[in-house]
Amino acid sequence: MRVYVPLTLPALAQAHRAGELGPGPLTAYAVTPGLREWYVSDDIEELEYAALTRAAHGSLRLLAADPEAVRKRVVVAVDIADGAVFADPDRALDPEALGEVRLDTAVPLGKAAAVHVDADGAAADVARAAEALAGAAGGDEDARFVVDGADDHELLWFATQEIEHLLAG
């Protein structure tokens, strides 16, 4: 199963040094039954993109909690055995938890398929979105508009061999 682990650049640097994402438990996003029902599509590429987008929102929440982190969303796509991924059935249709899964143990970085990171040009919008996140969660429509503005920026795809280059830049 492909899962998408939200990170920040400092967390990616830590994972690169350690050779693994973790320690567990880790929150990730995947194509779950709840996500399928919400997205109403049978196209696996569209569903995978929806899971990636959910993970990008998870990265945004991590950025909001870490004001020192570079304002770029980071998501690592990892291939995991189905039995190592756990979804909470009680949160399956919770709009805040769509596609959310848990990985109980650390994951070797060697299992990563790709890294997705914002381009430099997205930093200002991502910074504003991270600042507006609490207001958006509280129902402020203007803040929600600012948060949604981060979604206007597509995450760029990088091979795992490029992680060192990403961290140097």
Side-chain angles (χ1 to χ4, degrees), residues 5-163:
V5 181
L7 297 175
T8 61
L9 281 173
L12 180 62
Q14 172 59 32
H16 187 257
R17 283 191 300 276
E20 65 183 17
L21 299 165
L26 295 169
T27 298
Y29 295 82
V31 178
T32 62
L35 185 72
R36 283 181 188 275
E37 186 173 327
W38 171 75
Y39 200 76
V40 191
S41 175
D42 289 330
D43 184 328
I44 191 64
E45 287 183 17
E46 287 181 15
L47 291 165
E48 293 280 346
Y49 184 77
L52 172 64
T53 300
R54 300 296 298 169
H57 283 274
S59 178
L60 191 60
R61 286 190 293 277
L62 295 173
L63 288 171
D66 184 359
E68 300 300 315
V70 174
R71 302 333 246 176
K72 290 184 177 185
R73 298 167 299 167
V74 177
V75 176
V76 179
V78 183
D79 293 320
I80 300 289
D82 290 353
V85 178
F86 304 95
D88 183 347
D90 294 333
R91 291 178 42 103
L93 295 177
D94 177 348
E96 294 300 315
L98 287 171
E100 188 177 284
V101 296
R102 185 184 77 246
L103 309 174
D104 284 340
T105 62
V107 178
L109 201 52
K111 290 187 178 262
V115 178
H116 302 271
V117 180
D118 276 310
D120 292 338
D125 286 341
V126 170
R128 283 191 291 276
E131 290 173 11
L133 203 55
D140 181 333
E141 288 300 317
D142 290 335
R144 178 84 249 157
F145 181 77
V146 172
V147 170
D148 289 344
D151 288 339
D152 291 341
H153 299 277
E154 295 288 331
L155 296 177
L156 303 176
W157 181 96
F158 294 92
T160 57
Q161 299 87 334
E162 297 177 275
I163 292 174

